[in-house]
Amino acid sequence: MNQEPIGGPMDLGDAGKQMHRLISELYPICRSITGDGFRETLRQVRKHIPLEVREVPSGTKVFDWTVPREWNISDAWVKNLQGEKVIDFQKANLHVVSYSVPVRRRMQLAELREHLHTLPDRPDWIPYRTSYYKEDWGFCLTHSQLDRLEDGEYEVCIESRLEEGSLTYGEYFIPGNRTDEVLLSCHACHPSLCDDNLSGVALVTRLAKLLSEASLNYSYRFLFIPGTIGSITWLAQNEARVSRIRHGLVVACVGDPGKFHYKKSRRGNAEIDRAAVHALRHCGVEFEVLDFSPYGYDERQYCSPGFNLSVGSLTRTPHGRYPQYHTSADDLDFVRPEALAGSLAVYLSVLRILENNASYINMNPKCEPQLGKRGLYRAIGGLADAGRAEMAMLWVLNLSDGSHSLLDIAERADLPFELVLKAARTLVEHGLLDDTERGSQR
């Protein structure tokens, strides 16, 4: 069990800037659920952490699903009669519906319109659309662009390949003192979407780097996967080891300026649920707690009834609740370094609770011990509210009967976990608590 907070002292402002810089580097890459764009994204992440890259062949059965054929694209455009590119993939990779099959034809605008997608209520934004499991093709453009298209013939070109290949994902494992694992999972499959995609990639990368430098109680597994099919594939390929996952978080939408949201695991009162809510309550941030729903990100796969893992989702504004979601407006200006830094701080707070949550035994259980003669009043120096520190010691002494964890105590006393943890460590140092229960299975 670490004696110092995970990550140690750090400049959160600088960490936020570094995460935003990584997002900027990944932003231009055209990603999808398979293909070279996903691999290039993982290559960039590998410059920061030693990812293991896995390939699962197309056609592999993964429960009720099948790993799809691999998709790659080199170019796409629509030209008018004057030969001008009125839609150009090279200018914005969102212009092409992901997984579009190859096309090279001429057609009238009326026919072309059936393959065009816009946002009439947001006329200057490009929508993000996909057709992963149905062979089709299409273009996305601003509604303003669509309004400018004149009747007549257009030349349409999509230079893509849909062929047997593989699904790629990245995995990084950090062993701790225990074989029990904490899972941190992000999807890395969307092109040029910063909050819903790259903010999670950047935060997980940063967390992995910080944790690799710490002494850890739990082991940690970091997944960089394509959404939905990626988590299904990983679970199918790793079913024998899934029971080691004690806690988990799905990481996405952590770079926008909105308030925090925690979506509970299917269990509803798992330790990760309690730790996340407690951390948010004592981090001084605005937040909302959401009950589990089988709709959302990859938590719905980890929490499917056959696995029922303790995996929640900690975001800022959840998917679909901000106008920029799945549009070109989810860009580098929408995600902010200070929001990324704040999200990192909250995640670290949650992980510190998981790492240090344990049960203790009061070595002097018959009436409270005399703290004054041991110099324990005002013993926790540097605190603005010494009275709360003393109350933390009293609560720890009273509830340390082997059946209450530090998180139990912090929740019941309505005190920050860090304060309860410091009290417990002080009492151990003075021989009033026995720490032999630390790290035990709870």
Side-chain angles (χ1 to χ4, degrees), residues 15 19 27 39 64 88 99 106 116 122 155 167-168 216 220 244 250 287 312 336 347 355 360 392 404 411:
M19 287 186 283
Y27 180 67
R39 295 188 185 96
D64 197 44
D88 187 356
Y99 257 67
R106 293 180 178 275
L116 301 181
R122 304 283 180 179
E155 184 179 1
L167 177 149
T168 311
L216 299 169
Y220 284 78
R244 298 177 189 171
V250 171
F287 71 95
R336 303 178 184 178
Y347 266 83
E355 279 289 300
Y360 291 77
H404 294 90
E411 289 177 322

Side-chain angles (χ1 to χ4, degrees), residues 306-344:
F307 293 107
N308 196 26
L309 298 177
S310 297
V311 177
S313 177
L314 179 54
T315 67
R316 282 184 176 269
T317 310
H319 62 89
R321 293 198 184 185
Y322 53 96
Q324 297 87 348
Y325 177 74
H326 278 194
T327 77
S328 57
D330 186 0
D331 59 14
L332 290 167
D333 292 329
F334 182 58
V335 292
R336 303 178 184 178
E338 61 271 19
L340 292 163
S343 296
L344 176 63

Side-chain angles (χ1 to χ4, degrees), residues 195-434:
D195 198 38
D196 173 31
N197 189 43
L198 293 179
S199 69
V201 172
L203 182 59
V204 172
T205 302
R206 185 70 181 182
L207 283 171
K209 187 172 179 60
L210 289 171
L211 290 164
S212 70
E213 300 165 351
S215 174
L216 299 169
N217 181 25
Y218 284 104
S219 298
Y220 284 78
R221 189 172 301 277
F222 304 86
L223 293 182
F224 298 77
I225 54 178
T228 304
I229 188 63
S231 54
I232 293 171
T233 299
W234 186 86
L235 287 164
Q237 298 273 303
N238 296 274
E239 193 167 1
R241 70 173 71 173
V242 165
S243 61
R244 298 177 189 171
I245 296 173
R246 292 291 305 280
H247 319 288
L249 289 169
V250 171
V251 190
C253 301
V254 289
D256 67 87
K259 71 178 181 180
F260 286 93
H261 290 73
Y262 178 69
K263 177 182 174 182
K264 293 181 180 180
S265 72
R266 182 175 180 267
R267 299 183 184 186
N269 196 38
E271 190 173 338
I272 184 62
D273 301 324
R274 295 167 55 212
V277 173
H278 185 85
L280 288 166
R281 181 172 290 127
H282 292 279
C283 277
V285 297
E286 188 180 2
F287 71 95
E288 181 179 342
V289 178
L290 307 172
D291 287 329
F292 175 77
S293 161
Y295 179 75
Y297 286 122
D298 288 304
E299 71 278 355
R300 68 191 198 271
Q301 311 307 333
Y302 300 127
C303 293
S304 57
F307 293 107
N308 196 26
L309 298 177
S310 297
V311 177
S313 177
L314 179 54
T315 67
R316 282 184 176 269
T317 310
H319 62 89
R321 293 198 184 185
Y322 53 96
Q324 297 87 348
Y325 177 74
H326 278 194
T327 77
S328 57
D330 186 0
D331 59 14
L332 290 167
D333 292 329
F334 182 58
V335 292
R336 303 178 184 178
E338 61 271 19
L340 292 163
S343 296
L344 176 63
V346 170
Y347 266 83
L348 288 173
S349 182
V350 175
L351 297 183
R352 286 172 187 146
I353 293 173
L354 296 178
E355 279 289 300
N356 293 289
N357 191 28
S359 300
Y360 291 77
I361 298 293
N362 185 339
M363 303 302 291
N364 195 83
K366 294 178 179 178
C367 301
E368 68 182 50
Q370 189 175 356
L371 300 180
K373 72 179 183 181
R374 294 175 170 86
L376 287 178
Y377 280 121
R378 309 294 190 267
I380 304 178
L383 293 172
D385 187 355
R388 287 210 307 167
E390 291 159 8
M391 282 303 302
M393 280 193 284
L394 293 175
W395 274 109
V396 170
L397 285 167
N398 188 272
L399 292 179
S400 289
D401 54 6
S403 63
H404 294 90
S405 70
L406 293 184
L407 181 56
D408 294 332
I409 298 169
E411 289 177 322
R412 185 162 175 181
D414 193 24
L415 292 169
F417 182 88
E418 291 287 340
L419 193 62
V420 171
L421 175 61
K422 288 178 181 177
R425 287 177 174 171
T426 299
L427 292 167
V428 168
E429 290 171 3
H430 286 78
L432 292 171
L433 282 190
D434 179 62

Side-chain angles (χ1 to χ4, degrees), residues 147-171:
D147 285 341
R148 291 194 296 269
L149 296 183
E150 299 177 353
D151 287 336
E153 188 178 72
Y154 289 84
E155 184 179 1
V156 177
C157 173
I158 297 179
E159 295 179 358
S160 64
R161 304 188 315 278
L162 189 58
E163 56 197 0
E164 297 301 309
S166 63
L167 177 149
T168 311
Y169 67 86
E171 187 168 14

